[in-house]
Amino acid sequence: QVQLVESGGGLVQAGGSLRLSCAASGRTFSSQDMGWFRQVPGKERQSVAVISWSSRSTYYADSVKGRFTISRDNAKNTVYLQMNSLKPEETAVYYCAASRLLYRGRISAAPNDYDYWGQGIQVTVSS
């Protein structure tokens, strides 16, 4: 079982930056794809960014390309999401997730392909 704990959320003005962190428990972190997702009430959870276990592959939603960066530190069992130039419409609960499959050959941005989820952290972008 993998436990994920997000941190770094909060309130920021439009155009500002935040860095989310997700600390993972367990010994399989370095072999698992990781992702960041977000959700607003009444809407489906959507993918924001995904990174492969090796860091060689990443995926970004079109809306965040060029502004968000996902990275990981396997020595610290932590994945990060650097968010720059934030927009009010990006206000949401952000979730960290891990794939159960180890050494997955192709990254997926589909929430259903992730098995372990953090509790979520609120990000509020004021206008």
Side-chain angles (χ1 to χ4, degrees), residues 6-7 11-12 14 19 28-29 33 36 41 56-57 60 62 68 79 85-87 89 93-94 109 111 113 115 117 121:
E6 300 100 338
S7 61
L11 174 65
V12 64
R19 188 174 86 151
T28 57
F29 177 83
D33 292 352
W36 286 98
R56 292 195 189 105
S57 299
Y60 294 94
D62 287 343
F68 289 15
V79 62
S85 302
L86 282 159
K87 304 174 182 180
E89 56 266 35
V93 176
Y94 284 70
D113 285 336
D115 307 282
W117 293 83
I121 192 163

Side-chain angles (χ1 to χ4, degrees), residues 14-33:
S17 298
L18 282 175
R19 188 174 86 151
L20 303 182
S21 300
C22 173
S25 66
R27 295 178 291 178
T28 57
F29 177 83
S30 62
S31 56
Q32 294 173 284
D33 292 352

Side-chain angles (χ1 to χ4, degrees), residues 35-50:
W36 286 98
F37 301 80
R38 64 189 178 193
Q39 189 170 23
V40 297
K43 292 191 176 181
E44 291 186 353
R45 192 168 297 186
Q46 62 174 194
S47 58
V48 176
V50 170

